Structures are given as structure tokens and as C-alpha cells.
Short mmCIF file of all heavy atoms in Angstrom, two decimals:
data_model
loop_
_atom_site.label_atom_id
_atom_site.label_comp_id
_atom_site.label_asym_id
_atom_site.label_seq_id
_atom_site.Cartn_x
_atom_site.Cartn_y
_atom_site.Cartn_z
N VAL M 1 7.97 -11.45 10.31
CA VAL M 1 7.26 -10.17 10.31
C VAL M 1 7.88 -9.23 11.34
O VAL M 1 8.15 -8.05 11.06
CB VAL M 1 5.76 -10.38 10.61
CG1 VAL M 1 5.07 -9.04 10.83
CG2 VAL M 1 5.09 -11.12 9.47
N SER M 2 8.12 -9.76 12.54
CA SER M 2 8.73 -8.95 13.60
C SER M 2 10.13 -8.51 13.21
O SER M 2 10.52 -7.34 13.41
CB SER M 2 8.76 -9.76 14.90
OG SER M 2 9.45 -9.06 15.92
N ILE M 3 10.92 -9.43 12.66
CA ILE M 3 12.29 -9.11 12.25
C ILE M 3 12.30 -8.02 11.19
O ILE M 3 13.08 -7.06 11.26
CB ILE M 3 12.99 -10.38 11.70
CG1 ILE M 3 13.26 -11.37 12.85
CG2 ILE M 3 14.29 -10.03 10.99
CD1 ILE M 3 13.65 -12.75 12.38
N ALA M 4 11.41 -8.13 10.21
CA ALA M 4 11.34 -7.13 9.14
C ALA M 4 10.94 -5.77 9.68
O ALA M 4 11.51 -4.74 9.29
CB ALA M 4 10.35 -7.58 8.08
N TYR M 5 9.99 -5.76 10.59
CA TYR M 5 9.54 -4.47 11.15
C TYR M 5 10.65 -3.82 11.97
O TYR M 5 10.90 -2.61 11.83
CB TYR M 5 8.30 -4.68 12.01
CG TYR M 5 7.81 -3.40 12.65
CD1 TYR M 5 7.32 -2.35 11.87
CD2 TYR M 5 7.87 -3.24 14.03
CE1 TYR M 5 6.89 -1.17 12.46
CE2 TYR M 5 7.44 -2.06 14.62
CZ TYR M 5 6.96 -1.03 13.84
OH TYR M 5 6.54 0.15 14.42
N GLN M 6 11.30 -4.61 12.83
CA GLN M 6 12.39 -4.05 13.64
C GLN M 6 13.54 -3.57 12.76
O GLN M 6 14.17 -2.55 13.04
CB GLN M 6 12.88 -5.09 14.65
CG GLN M 6 11.85 -5.48 15.70
CD GLN M 6 11.39 -4.32 16.55
OE1 GLN M 6 12.15 -3.38 16.81
NE2 GLN M 6 10.13 -4.34 16.96
N ALA M 7 13.80 -4.30 11.67
CA ALA M 7 14.85 -3.89 10.75
C ALA M 7 14.49 -2.56 10.08
O ALA M 7 15.36 -1.72 9.84
CB ALA M 7 15.08 -4.96 9.69
N SER M 8 13.20 -2.38 9.78
CA SER M 8 12.77 -1.12 9.16
C SER M 8 12.98 0.06 10.10
O SER M 8 13.39 1.15 9.67
CB SER M 8 11.30 -1.21 8.74
OG SER M 8 10.43 -1.16 9.86
N ILE M 9 12.73 -0.17 11.39
CA ILE M 9 12.95 0.89 12.38
C ILE M 9 14.44 1.22 12.48
O ILE M 9 14.84 2.39 12.52
CB ILE M 9 12.41 0.45 13.76
CG1 ILE M 9 10.89 0.32 13.71
CG2 ILE M 9 12.82 1.44 14.84
CD1 ILE M 9 10.30 -0.23 14.99
N THR M 10 15.26 0.18 12.52
CA THR M 10 16.71 0.37 12.59
C THR M 10 17.22 1.12 11.38
O THR M 10 18.05 2.04 11.50
CB THR M 10 17.42 -1.00 12.69
OG1 THR M 10 16.99 -1.66 13.88
CG2 THR M 10 18.93 -0.83 12.73
N HIS M 11 16.74 0.74 10.20
CA HIS M 11 17.20 1.39 8.97
C HIS M 11 16.81 2.87 8.96
O HIS M 11 17.63 3.73 8.60
CB HIS M 11 16.61 0.69 7.75
CG HIS M 11 17.19 1.16 6.46
ND1 HIS M 11 18.36 0.65 5.94
CD2 HIS M 11 16.80 2.15 5.59
CE1 HIS M 11 18.64 1.28 4.80
NE2 HIS M 11 17.71 2.18 4.58
N LYS M 12 15.60 3.16 9.36
CA LYS M 12 15.15 4.55 9.40
C LYS M 12 16.00 5.36 10.37
O LYS M 12 16.39 6.51 10.08
CB LYS M 12 13.68 4.59 9.84
CG LYS M 12 13.10 5.99 10.03
CD LYS M 12 12.96 6.73 8.72
CE LYS M 12 12.26 8.06 8.92
NZ LYS M 12 12.12 8.83 7.66
N MET M 13 16.33 4.77 11.50
CA MET M 13 17.11 5.45 12.53
C MET M 13 18.54 5.72 12.07
O MET M 13 19.09 6.80 12.29
CB MET M 13 17.11 4.63 13.80
CG MET M 13 17.95 5.20 14.94
SD MET M 13 17.86 4.20 16.45
CE MET M 13 18.60 2.65 15.87
N LEU M 14 19.16 4.72 11.41
CA LEU M 14 20.56 4.84 11.04
C LEU M 14 20.79 5.52 9.69
O LEU M 14 21.78 6.23 9.52
CB LEU M 14 21.21 3.45 11.01
CG LEU M 14 21.24 2.69 12.34
CD1 LEU M 14 21.90 1.33 12.15
CD2 LEU M 14 21.97 3.49 13.41
N ALA M 15 19.88 5.30 8.74
CA ALA M 15 20.07 5.85 7.39
C ALA M 15 19.32 7.14 7.16
O ALA M 15 19.57 7.85 6.19
CB ALA M 15 19.65 4.82 6.36
N ASN M 16 18.36 7.44 8.06
CA ASN M 16 17.54 8.64 7.91
C ASN M 16 16.80 8.64 6.56
O ASN M 16 16.71 9.66 5.89
CB ASN M 16 18.39 9.91 8.05
CG ASN M 16 17.54 11.16 8.21
OD1 ASN M 16 16.46 11.10 8.81
ND2 ASN M 16 18.00 12.28 7.68
N GLU M 17 16.29 7.47 6.19
CA GLU M 17 15.53 7.34 4.96
C GLU M 17 14.45 6.29 5.15
O GLU M 17 14.59 5.39 5.99
CB GLU M 17 16.43 6.96 3.79
CG GLU M 17 17.15 5.63 3.97
CD GLU M 17 18.14 5.33 2.85
OE1 GLU M 17 18.62 6.28 2.21
OE2 GLU M 17 18.44 4.13 2.64
N ASP M 18 13.37 6.40 4.41
CA ASP M 18 12.27 5.44 4.53
C ASP M 18 12.72 4.07 4.03
O ASP M 18 13.26 3.95 2.92
CB ASP M 18 11.05 5.91 3.74
CG ASP M 18 10.42 7.15 4.34
OD1 ASP M 18 10.53 7.32 5.57
OD2 ASP M 18 9.82 7.94 3.58
N PRO M 19 12.47 3.03 4.80
CA PRO M 19 12.91 1.69 4.40
C PRO M 19 12.02 1.08 3.33
O PRO M 19 10.84 1.40 3.22
CB PRO M 19 12.80 0.89 5.70
CG PRO M 19 11.68 1.57 6.44
CD PRO M 19 11.81 3.04 6.12
N LYS M 20 12.62 0.18 2.56
CA LYS M 20 11.89 -0.64 1.59
C LYS M 20 12.28 -2.08 1.89
O LYS M 20 13.44 -2.46 1.75
CB LYS M 20 12.27 -0.26 0.16
CG LYS M 20 11.92 1.18 -0.21
CD LYS M 20 12.40 1.52 -1.62
CE LYS M 20 12.11 2.97 -1.97
NZ LYS M 20 12.64 3.33 -3.31
N ILE M 21 11.31 -2.87 2.30
CA ILE M 21 11.58 -4.22 2.78
C ILE M 21 11.50 -5.25 1.66
O ILE M 21 10.54 -5.26 0.88
CB ILE M 21 10.58 -4.61 3.89
CG1 ILE M 21 10.62 -3.60 5.04
CG2 ILE M 21 10.86 -6.02 4.39
CD1 ILE M 21 11.92 -3.56 5.78
N ALA M 22 12.48 -6.14 1.61
CA ALA M 22 12.47 -7.27 0.68
C ALA M 22 12.60 -8.55 1.48
O ALA M 22 13.57 -8.74 2.23
CB ALA M 22 13.62 -7.16 -0.32
N PHE M 23 11.63 -9.44 1.37
CA PHE M 23 11.68 -10.75 2.01
C PHE M 23 12.38 -11.70 1.05
O PHE M 23 11.87 -12.00 -0.03
CB PHE M 23 10.28 -11.25 2.32
CG PHE M 23 9.60 -10.53 3.45
CD1 PHE M 23 8.94 -9.33 3.23
CD2 PHE M 23 9.63 -11.05 4.74
CE1 PHE M 23 8.31 -8.66 4.27
CE2 PHE M 23 9.01 -10.38 5.79
CZ PHE M 23 8.34 -9.18 5.56
N LEU M 24 13.55 -12.17 1.43
CA LEU M 24 14.39 -12.96 0.51
C LEU M 24 14.29 -14.45 0.77
O LEU M 24 14.16 -14.89 1.91
CB LEU M 24 15.85 -12.52 0.64
CG LEU M 24 16.15 -11.03 0.42
CD1 LEU M 24 17.63 -10.77 0.61
CD2 LEU M 24 15.70 -10.60 -0.97
N SER M 25 14.36 -15.23 -0.30
CA SER M 25 14.45 -16.68 -0.21
C SER M 25 15.18 -17.17 -1.46
O SER M 25 15.58 -16.37 -2.31
CB SER M 25 13.06 -17.32 -0.13
OG SER M 25 12.41 -17.26 -1.40
N PHE M 26 15.35 -18.50 -1.58
CA PHE M 26 16.03 -19.02 -2.76
C PHE M 26 15.07 -19.15 -3.95
O PHE M 26 15.47 -19.58 -5.03
CB PHE M 26 16.65 -20.39 -2.47
CG PHE M 26 15.68 -21.42 -1.97
CD1 PHE M 26 14.88 -22.14 -2.84
CD2 PHE M 26 15.55 -21.67 -0.60
CE1 PHE M 26 13.99 -23.09 -2.38
CE2 PHE M 26 14.67 -22.62 -0.14
CZ PHE M 26 13.88 -23.33 -1.02
N SER M 27 13.80 -18.75 -3.75
CA SER M 27 12.81 -18.83 -4.83
C SER M 27 12.55 -17.43 -5.40
O SER M 27 12.43 -16.46 -4.65
CB SER M 27 11.51 -19.41 -4.30
OG SER M 27 10.47 -19.29 -5.24
N THR M 28 12.48 -17.33 -6.70
CA THR M 28 12.19 -16.05 -7.35
C THR M 28 10.71 -15.98 -7.69
O THR M 28 10.22 -16.68 -8.57
CB THR M 28 13.00 -15.90 -8.65
OG1 THR M 28 14.38 -16.04 -8.35
CG2 THR M 28 12.75 -14.55 -9.30
N LYS M 29 9.98 -15.16 -6.92
CA LYS M 29 8.56 -14.94 -7.17
C LYS M 29 7.77 -16.25 -7.27
O LYS M 29 6.98 -16.46 -8.20
CB LYS M 29 8.38 -14.10 -8.43
CG LYS M 29 8.78 -12.64 -8.28
CD LYS M 29 7.85 -11.91 -7.32
CE LYS M 29 8.17 -10.42 -7.26
NZ LYS M 29 7.27 -9.71 -6.32
N GLY M 30 8.04 -17.17 -6.33
CA GLY M 30 7.26 -18.41 -6.30
C GLY M 30 7.70 -19.47 -7.27
O GLY M 30 6.92 -20.38 -7.61
N SER M 31 8.94 -19.41 -7.74
CA SER M 31 9.41 -20.39 -8.72
C SER M 31 9.63 -21.77 -8.11
O SER M 31 9.71 -22.76 -8.83
CB SER M 31 10.72 -19.90 -9.36
OG SER M 31 11.73 -19.77 -8.37
N ALA M 32 9.74 -21.86 -6.78
CA ALA M 32 9.94 -23.14 -6.11
C ALA M 32 8.84 -23.39 -5.10
O ALA M 32 8.28 -22.45 -4.52
CB ALA M 32 11.30 -23.15 -5.42
#
């Protein structure tokens, strides 16, 4: 949660655009 939030701040600062967060894993929508 902390990593995602800090990444959103970094993205906003560097890209000057609203971030869209994706939490990634090897499972697609709960397939595993």
C-alpha cells in the first residue's frame, strides 16, 4: 500500500498526469 501510494506521488510529479495504479501478480483476477 505504501509503495503504491509513493509511486503514485512520483508518477504525478514526473509525468504531470494523474496516476492509475495496478497491483500486479502472477494471478489474473484471482485465477490462482
Side-chain angles (χ1 to χ4, degrees):
V1 171
S2 175
I3 290 167
Y5 178 66
Q6 295 300 327
S8 73
I9 294 175
T10 299
H11 189 85
K12 176 69 175 179
M13 177 178 63
L14 297 180
N16 193 33
E17 61 185 24
D18 292 331
K20 298 176 183 178
I21 303 295
F23 288 83
L24 304 179
S25 73
F26 56 82
S27 170
T28 304
K29 288 293 185 180
S31 62

